[in-house]
Amino acid sequence: MKENSYNRILGVDYGSHSVGLALSDPLAVIARPIQTLKNDAELISKIKEIVNQENVTLIVVGMPYNLKGQQAQKALETQKFIDMLKLNITTELITWDERFTTVIAQRTVLSMGMKKKQRQKKDGKLDSMAAALILQGYLDNKKNQRCC
C-alpha cells in the first residue's frame, strides 16, 4: 500500500468480457481511465491488488438501469460480480447509475477524431473511459452535495 494520507476511489464498468477501471485523483475530484481487465478467473484478485496498491477506500460500480430507472437484464450479472467483490475485498462498495456511459464514451472518442479502425479495436479504451464517466458522475454528485 502506498504511504500517503490521501484516499482514492475506484470506478468500475463491468462487462461480460472485459471490465473497465478508472481511478480518482488523491483529492477525489477528477476521474481518469486506468485500464481494462479481462473478465476471467483472475479478475477479482487483480482488482484487489489495485485497491491495495492505490489506497482505494471506495469502489463505485456502474449498475445498468433501463430508461425507466429499473435494473436492466445485465444488472443480475453485475450484481453477481458485486457479490464476489464483497466476498473478497473489504473496501466499501456502492453502485452508481451507468446509463448512457458507453454511448457517451463512444461519442467522446468520435469527437476526439479517432479513426474508425482505431475505434473498432477491442483494446478496452471504451470500457475504461466508461468507468471514468461512471466515477466522474459520482464525484460530481458528491461535490455538488457538499457545496450547495
Side-chain angles (χ1 to χ4, degrees):
M1 189 179 306
K2 288 185 177 178
E3 289 294 319
N4 65 35
S5 59
Y6 297 107
N7 301 316
R8 295 180 185 261
I9 301 172
L10 182 70
V12 180
D13 180 41
Y14 177 81
S16 301
H17 302 290
S18 59
V19 177
L21 301 177
L23 198 60
S24 74
D25 66 295
L27 298 176
V29 176
I30 298 171
R32 67 177 171 84
I34 57 167
Q35 65 179 304
T36 299
L37 300 174
K38 194 173 194 177
N39 189 347
D40 60 16
E42 296 178 23
L43 175 63
I44 301 294
S45 64
K46 288 178 181 176
I47 291 174
K48 188 174 186 175
E49 187 178 314
I50 291 166
V51 166
N52 291 332
Q53 285 177 349
E54 298 294 343
N55 198 28
V56 171
T57 57
L58 177 66
I59 301 171
V60 179
V61 179
M63 181 59 78
Y65 292 98
N66 62 25
L67 293 175
K68 293 181 180 178
Q70 302 163 329
Q71 286 189 348
Q73 180 72 23
K74 188 78 172 163
L76 297 174
E77 189 179 336
T78 303
Q79 189 58 55
K80 286 181 185 176
F81 164 73
I82 289 169
D83 293 342
M84 286 299 297
L85 272 179
K86 287 181 177 179
L87 283 174
N88 292 281
I89 300 174
T90 58
T91 304
E92 182 183 358
L93 187 147
I94 64 167
T95 60
W96 194 255
D97 186 349
E98 72 161 21
R99 278 182 282 190
F100 309 116
T101 55
T102 301
V103 172
I104 295 168
Q106 290 169 336
R107 287 182 182 165
T108 301
V109 167
L110 269 173
S111 70
M112 290 168 41
M114 189 178 283
K115 304 275 186 234
K116 185 175 183 178
K117 201 170 196 173
Q118 290 175 306
R119 291 192 313 263
Q120 291 175 333
K121 282 184 188 175
K122 299 291 182 191
D123 59 5
K125 286 183 182 173
L126 284 178
D127 297 317
S128 61
M129 190 178 293
L133 289 167
I134 291 165
L135 180 54
Q136 192 64 56
Y138 169 79
L139 295 173
D140 290 347
N141 181 271
K142 186 177 161 187
K143 181 178 73 172
N144 288 337
Q145 288 178 347
R146 279 187 300 209
C147 75
C148 306

